[in-house]
Amino acid sequence: MDLEKQLKICSAAPSVFYRTPMGETTEIPFPFECGNGWADLLYDAAVKLNAYLETMPKEVREDIVAMQVKEKYGTLRFYISYYNDEIDAIIREAEKKSCTTCETCGKKGKTRGKFWLYTACDEHTREEDLQDVSEEELP
């Protein structure tokens, strides 16, 4: 993901993305291991996550950091150091939306591929992957 997009996402929830799992503050933005097309999904999740964290006690909030954000099996995965029902719902919503959002450009897409799954619009679908993956085949 482009640095500019990463910085925008990180600035929406700085306590989550500008701290290490050891609690140290860092000036280096958290690395996102996915394409630009999911930047809006992640930004929306970061805004919602930050708003929710503001309602939590400071001593709990201080221990919540992003561990990893990446593509896996064609969809978004967002791992965080602390989960509860509200945080899980925010993250799952973004992950679910990634199933129908092109990872490259952000347009409407589908999960595709035979051996290596990815989510893409028609324009960014590889020629050999013209056949869509059925729901039953997804992990």
Side-chain angles (χ1 to χ4, degrees):
M1 182 177 292
D2 293 346
L3 180 60
E4 181 181 321
K5 292 183 185 327
Q6 290 184 57
L7 291 171
K8 180 180 176 183
I9 296 163
C10 290
S11 68
S15 68
V16 174
F17 294 112
Y18 282 109
R19 288 190 307 119
T20 69
M22 300 303 292
E24 302 156 337
T25 303
T26 178
E27 292 182 19
I28 301 168
F30 182 87
F32 295 89
E33 302 169 54
C34 59
N36 289 334
W38 290 345
D40 289 342
L41 298 176
L42 286 165
Y43 179 77
D44 290 344
V47 168
K48 291 174 184 174
L49 188 58
N50 193 63
Y52 173 70
L53 294 179
E54 291 297 319
T55 69
M56 298 180 77
K58 185 178 180 181
E59 59 274 4
V60 175
R61 185 173 64 225
E62 288 178 345
D63 292 332
I64 302 173
V65 296
M67 305 297 284
Q68 188 175 36
V69 178
K70 66 179 184 175
E71 175 276 330
K72 185 174 181 178
Y73 299 120
T75 59
L76 179 67
R77 297 294 191 273
F78 187 149
Y79 302 104
I80 194 163
S81 63
Y82 176 90
Y83 285 91
N84 64 20
D85 290 342
E86 290 82 3
I87 291 172
D88 189 57
I90 292 167
I91 290 172
R92 298 292 165 240
E93 177 184 9
E95 291 177 342
K96 185 176 180 182
K97 287 180 180 178
S98 74
C99 295
T100 58
T101 304
C102 178
E103 184 183 357
T104 303
C105 69
K107 292 179 184 174
K108 185 171 175 54
K110 296 178 183 178
T111 302
R112 304 171 193 260
K114 296 176 184 156
F115 302 105
W116 189 266
L117 300 177
Y118 63 102
T119 300
C121 64
D122 291 341
E123 181 181 342
H124 292 110
T125 298
R126 294 186 293 247
E127 180 101 14
E128 65 271 16
D129 294 327
L130 295 175
Q131 182 180 13
D132 294 335
V133 175
S134 69
E135 293 271 334
E136 298 81 39
E137 294 177 273
L138 292 175

